[in-house]
Amino acid sequence: MRILFFLLLLSFTVLPIFADDYNVYTPDNFSSDYVNEDERVLFILDFSNSMSEYLEGKRKVDLMIDTMKRILPNLNPNISVGLRVYGHRMGFTPFEACRASSLVTPISVSNGINVRNSLLDIKPRGMTPITYSLKQAVKNDFRGFTGKKHIILLTDGGENCDESPCSYVVELIKIRKDIKIDVIAFNIDDEEDLAQLECTSLVTSGKFYNAQTAADLVNSLNNSINSYKKVEAKIFTDY
């Protein structure tokens, strides 16, 4: 019933959005001609405990970090970019664990190296406070910025802190039209989690990527960045 609810919600809320195509990144459709310096990109990355699980012989968190380390140096320096992480602390209580979300690299231009360095010492530990992280990003991380704001959320699981990111963004778009959320669901099989995450992206006119493999993860991150900003990047095929 919950899945049916989300599908019905999407059909009434975001019907015009489905006109967008979800093209997989290839060198043929890559373009590096567009830059709008009024637009900001914030990565929100999952460091919950489940990111310690293995996929294709490597921990999922290592696949994520390796991909980010290779993409970030290729970002155009005029792009304003930042990093928020969640699940990197356990907390003494469930309430504290569900507030484990931190802006570790504030949004700034020429910031790829700082985002990269911030990733090196963070370990996966805790819960998955997706909705709380989105709320913090919208309320605090983009404060003082005008223009478009682009969140790239990467998670290997659904919300587990008794909130709904889908419900949150449905209310958000009633008052904010300047935020787009792309969601990369990394190696997720649960249908209800996928429905919530897809709703979160499509309601905000973002894109949803179901990345089941390491190669899918690379393509999804490349495609998400490429669809929004000028990026000088290469596609990676050695996984």
Side-chain angles (χ1 to χ4, degrees), residues 2 5 35 39 42 53 65 70 79 87 99-100 113 119 127 133 143 145 181 193 206-207 209 237:
R2 292 178 61 188
F5 166 77
V35 174
E39 295 166 340
L42 178 69
E53 297 171 357
I65 292 174
R70 299 171 69 179
I79 295 175
R99 296 297 182 271
I113 187 64
L119 289 167
M127 304 282 281
S133 297
R143 182 180 297 170
F145 292 135
I181 303 173
D193 289 343
K207 291 192 175 184
Y209 303 93
T237 59

Side-chain angles (χ1 to χ4, degrees), residues 139-188:
K139 179 180 178 181
N140 297 317
D141 301 351
F142 291 114
R143 182 180 297 170
F145 292 135
T146 59
K148 297 295 184 180
K149 300 158 186 73
H150 182 197
I151 293 173
I152 300 176
L153 170 68
L154 191 158
T155 181
D156 80 328
E159 172 76 52
N160 62 9
C161 286
D162 199 27
E163 292 192 272
S164 164
C166 175
S167 297
Y168 167 64
V169 297
V170 167
E171 295 303 314
L172 176 67
I173 63 168
K174 295 178 182 178
I175 56 174
R176 295 287 296 268
K177 306 297 184 183
D178 59 336
I179 295 173
K180 178 178 79 170
I181 303 173
D182 287 353
V183 177
I184 301 172
F186 185 31
N187 196 232
I188 300 176

